[in-house]
Amino acid sequence: MDYTFLTPISDDVLSFVGHLTPQHLGAKMLLHTPYDFPNLNEIKLALIGVNETRGSRREASYELTAIRKELYGLFPGNWNVSIADLGDIKSGDSIDDTYFALQQLVKSLLKNNCIPIILGGTQDLTYPLYRAYDGLEQMVNLVAIDSRFDFGKEKDPLSAGSYLTKIIIDEPNNLFNFSNIGYQTYYNSQEEIDLVEKLFFDAYRLGDIANNIVLAEPVFRDADCVSIDLNAVKSADSGNFNYFSPNGFTGKEICALARYAGISDKVSSFGVFNHEGSEQEAVLFAQIVWYFIEGVQHRSNEYPYGSKEHYLKYIVPLEGEELIFYKSNKTERWWIEIPHLSSSNNKLKKSTLLPCSHEEYLGACNQEIPERWWKAQRKNLI
């Protein structure tokens, strides 16, 4: 693949790296410089900057130097994952050119079993991130950490406020599930909330996750692509006072969610978007990326990569059928089986395991149908 559309890391950042100790993260990474391009066969994680903001009504424009300096200046944990910074995707003559370049690059990385980490740009970049899965012959589960659902009218152009509608209606339709984490009701119309329910998607209010953040872990365990809107973090913690938000996730909570995303054996792409350019927000941005990498380092390589031989199987009779649960001997995490249906419009080509919680297993024992299992069954028949 031709990588000429990628610009090297700036001299300012390279000079900053030159003053770091060998123990700093920036000194341990492979970097795209004017003289060298990382060997993609040697890396597990690839950072990609995309300074594309034309998909937003906000006339924001920023460069990623502050984010890189904050990230490079952190110390890694006891990591052995290989990380490269591929530099920035040049803004195309049109926004569609930028979308195409991002889609092709992410597609190439996915085929190489390398996880792209997108340093955005506005959140409409989630669309080409999702489209990169075209041709991989799989359904895609998308998780967005966002205070809004980002629906738009069907005829609206692709934007940061309407990208989800484009994902839902555009062909090929590879979306199996969408999950929102952290929506705030007063930012979303009742019609949008009803639509999420009608499509059997999953949505979790900010207060529910903030009160029990563990609720989010099974959601990430089933995700392929994770998109974070930094506006989901309250301004007191993000440092974004251009668009003030008194409520939202705390810095600690958003980093915990990023780590859940990293720990998931299934997540294969990750993006952080809608950075408003302040140096204060760059600190949080860098720590979010750090926690995602920390999570990837601690992946357990369970489902979908492990064998069912390492699980305890539990069968629960419920309303004339049997629900089959699996509990990992390694991590004590839980899954529930979604059976393959023989109908011609079945989206799943085989039986699959849906991540769940111990509480959902206990609920099934009390004859309560797990809501996420029920929705997955309904989506399978749409």
Side-chain angles (χ1 to χ4, degrees):
M1 181 175 174
D2 182 7
Y3 298 106
T4 56
F5 57 84
L6 285 167
T7 59
I9 295 162
S10 69
D11 291 340
D12 184 14
V13 175
L14 292 177
S15 175
F16 175 81
V17 173
H19 291 87
L20 296 175
T21 70
Q23 289 75 35
H24 282 97
L25 179 58
K28 295 177 177 291
M29 295 167 57
L30 299 174
L31 305 178
H32 178 193
T33 72
Y35 317 103
D36 191 27
F37 189 84
N39 184 346
L40 299 184
N41 294 320
E42 298 177 356
I43 60 173
K44 174 67 175 178
L45 297 162
L47 302 176
I48 306 162
V50 192
N51 187 12
E52 178 60 77
T53 61
R54 285 175 286 184
S56 173
R57 294 176 182 175
R58 302 174 181 177
E59 296 182 2
S61 181
Y62 58 90
E63 41 104 21
L64 302 165
T65 298
I67 294 172
R68 283 193 165 98
K69 286 183 176 180
E70 291 294 340
L71 179 61
Y72 290 4
L74 300 176
F75 291 98
N78 187 22
W79 299 347
N80 57 22
V81 291
S82 51
I83 310 167
D85 191 332
L86 304 186
D88 297 339
I89 290 180
K90 300 176 184 177
S91 293
D93 292 336
S94 72
I95 193 171
D96 288 334
D97 294 334
T98 306
Y99 292 156
F100 180 77
L102 177 59
Q103 178 180 336
Q104 294 305 309
L105 177 57
V106 171
K107 180 179 178 180
S108 175
L109 293 172
L110 291 175
K111 288 185 175 180
N112 216 38
N113 293 317
C114 178
I115 301 172
I117 301 175
I118 311 304
L119 314 177
T122 45
Q123 204 176 11
D124 49 300
L125 296 173
T126 304
Y127 181 80
L129 195 58
Y130 159 76
R131 283 269 81 100
Y133 290 85
D134 292 354
L136 297 183
E137 297 185 354
Q138 68 169 86
M139 300 302 293
V140 180
N141 292 334
L142 170 65
V143 174
I145 301 175
D146 201 336
S147 60
R148 293 172 168 85
F149 292 129
D150 294 324
F151 286 121
K153 295 180 181 178
E154 189 170 335
K155 295 182 179 179
D156 287 348
L158 176 59
S159 71
S162 67
Y163 75 89
L164 184 55
T165 298
K166 300 292 287 184
I167 287 176
I168 292 171
I169 65 176
D170 282 4
E171 296 289 342
N173 188 347
N174 301 322
L175 184 68
F176 183 75
N177 191 37
F178 167 75
S179 299
N180 170 283
I181 294 178
Y183 81 93
Q184 298 178 41
T185 307
Y186 38 73
Y187 287 146
N188 300 277
S189 69
Q190 189 58 49
E191 288 77 11
E192 290 174 311
I193 296 172
D194 292 341
L195 180 59
V196 168
E197 191 67 25
K198 181 180 179 181
L199 294 173
F200 305 113
F201 291 157
D202 301 312
Y204 301 84
R205 293 181 64 175
L206 170 66
D208 293 334
I209 298 298
N211 289 334
N212 184 11
I213 201 167
V214 177
L215 290 173
E217 188 276 328
V219 181
F220 288 110
R221 213 185 326 149
D222 198 39
D224 298 290
C225 175
V226 175
S227 171
I228 296 181
D229 182 345
L230 275 178
N231 292 313
V233 182
K234 64 181 180 179
S235 292
D237 281 33
S238 71
N240 174 15
F241 292 98
N242 292 332
Y243 299 95
F244 182 72
S245 179
N247 292 305
F249 287 117
T250 66
K252 178 181 178 181
E253 289 163 350
I254 197 71
C255 288
L257 294 173
R259 191 174 189 275
Y260 279 148
I263 286 176
S264 167
D265 293 312
K266 200 165 179 279
V267 169
S268 52
S269 62
F270 181 79
V272 187
F273 306 104
N274 292 343
H275 167 51
E276 295 298 337
S278 72
E279 292 185 4
Q280 293 88 345
E281 197 174 42
V283 177
L284 177 63
F285 197 123
Q287 292 183 11
I288 290 170
V289 173
W290 189 96
Y291 271 99
F292 176 76
I293 300 172
E294 167 85 350
V296 173
Q297 168 64 35
H298 289 93
R299 289 188 172 186
S300 57
N301 294 316
E302 292 183 315
Y303 182 81
Y305 308 108
S307 168
K308 288 183 180 178
E309 296 175 359
H310 303 294
Y311 297 78
L312 291 175
K313 183 177 181 180
Y314 297 80
I315 300 176
V316 180
L318 180 61
E319 296 187 2
E321 60 181 306
E322 292 181 339
L323 298 188
I324 301 176
F325 289 84
Y326 292 89
K327 178 185 177 183
S328 167
N329 290 333
K330 186 175 183 180
T331 63
E332 298 189 350
R333 296 189 295 186
W334 288 78
W335 284 262
I336 185 172
E337 185 171 277
I338 305 175
H340 171 70
L341 303 175
S342 59
S343 61
S344 60
N345 63 340
N346 175 36
K347 287 186 175 182
L348 298 178
K349 301 185 187 322
K350 59 182 180 180
S351 296
T352 187
L353 298 183
L354 178 72
C356 65
S357 64
H358 181 223
E359 288 71 21
E360 287 173 301
Y361 164 72
L362 295 177
C365 292
N366 290 323
Q367 300 299 293
E368 298 174 6
I369 296 178
E371 183 177 0
R372 294 186 68 238
W373 177 88
W374 181 84
K375 287 182 176 180
Q377 290 279 68
R378 301 286 78 74
K379 283 194 291 285
N380 200 15
L381 295 171
I382 293 176

